[in-house]
Amino acid sequence: MATSVMSSISARNQISGRVAEIQSGPAMTVVTVSANGHTIVSAITSHAAKELGLKKNDPVVALVKSTEAIIAKGDAGAMRISARNKVSGKVTDIQKGAAMASVMIDAGQWTITSAVTRHAVDELQLAQGDQVTVLFKSTEVMLQKAA
């Protein structure tokens, strides 16, 4: 199973898994991906799902731009939010610029990168070793069928 897409893609977050469930509608299809014990949910157009020819157990790569990965610090399990995807991990690196920051999170089997404002990093008082949850909406998860 492929572990990532071509190296020339800009999406920092590439999560390999297999299609666990497909819920098709006239306009949108919700695809649930099983990825190393985690569940990733992607909402894509039904046209795209048909073009990909997705079927249960197909290997896929879920792609999420770093700008779409939101960081929550504290007990994210107690939060009630609409974002379908919640991945917990530890902050391993923070690169701060004048306006933006790049935060690397070790989520076990893979690393998640989140691009957030410098203000957000400072306001959350993020530091290496902090336990965080990364959140992203299912509509922000692109899928690539893997070989």
Side-chain angles (χ1 to χ4, degrees):
M1 175 160 65
T3 57
S4 65
V5 295
M6 301 177 342
S7 61
S8 62
I9 193 161
S10 65
R12 303 306 318 142
N13 303 304
Q14 303 175 17
I15 303 166
S16 296
R18 292 196 173 272
V19 174
E21 184 180 351
I22 301 173
Q23 296 175 309
S24 297
M28 298 294 289
T29 294
V30 175
V31 180
T32 303
V33 177
S34 178
N36 294 322
H38 293 279
T39 299
I40 304 296
V41 179
S42 175
I44 59 176
T45 65
S46 293
H47 183 72
K50 185 177 179 179
E51 278 187 350
L52 289 171
L54 292 177
K55 296 182 292 299
K56 191 171 181 173
N57 294 318
D58 278 351
V60 293
V61 178
L63 304 160
V64 181
K65 291 174 55 178
S66 62
T67 53
E68 301 303 334
I70 300 165
I71 297 174
K73 187 174 174 184
D75 184 10
M79 289 192 301
R80 296 183 63 148
I81 58 171
S82 64
R84 302 293 304 139
N85 298 293
K86 302 171 194 155
V87 179
S88 295
K90 273 192 183 167
V91 174
T92 58
D93 187 49
I94 302 171
Q95 297 294 318
K96 292 182 186 179
M100 295 295 293
S102 177
V103 181
M104 306 288 280
I105 297 109
D106 177 356
Q109 294 82 5
W110 64 102
T111 299
I112 302 288
T113 302
S114 177
V116 296
T117 64
R118 165 91 186 240
H119 178 77
V121 169
D122 293 342
E123 188 175 75
L124 290 172
Q125 298 178 342
L126 284 179
Q128 282 187 341
D130 282 351
Q131 186 69 32
V132 297
T133 301
V134 180
L135 311 157
F136 45 94
K137 294 175 58 170
S138 60
T139 53
E140 301 304 329
V141 180
M142 297 172 278
L143 293 177
Q144 179 186 35
K145 196 168 182 180

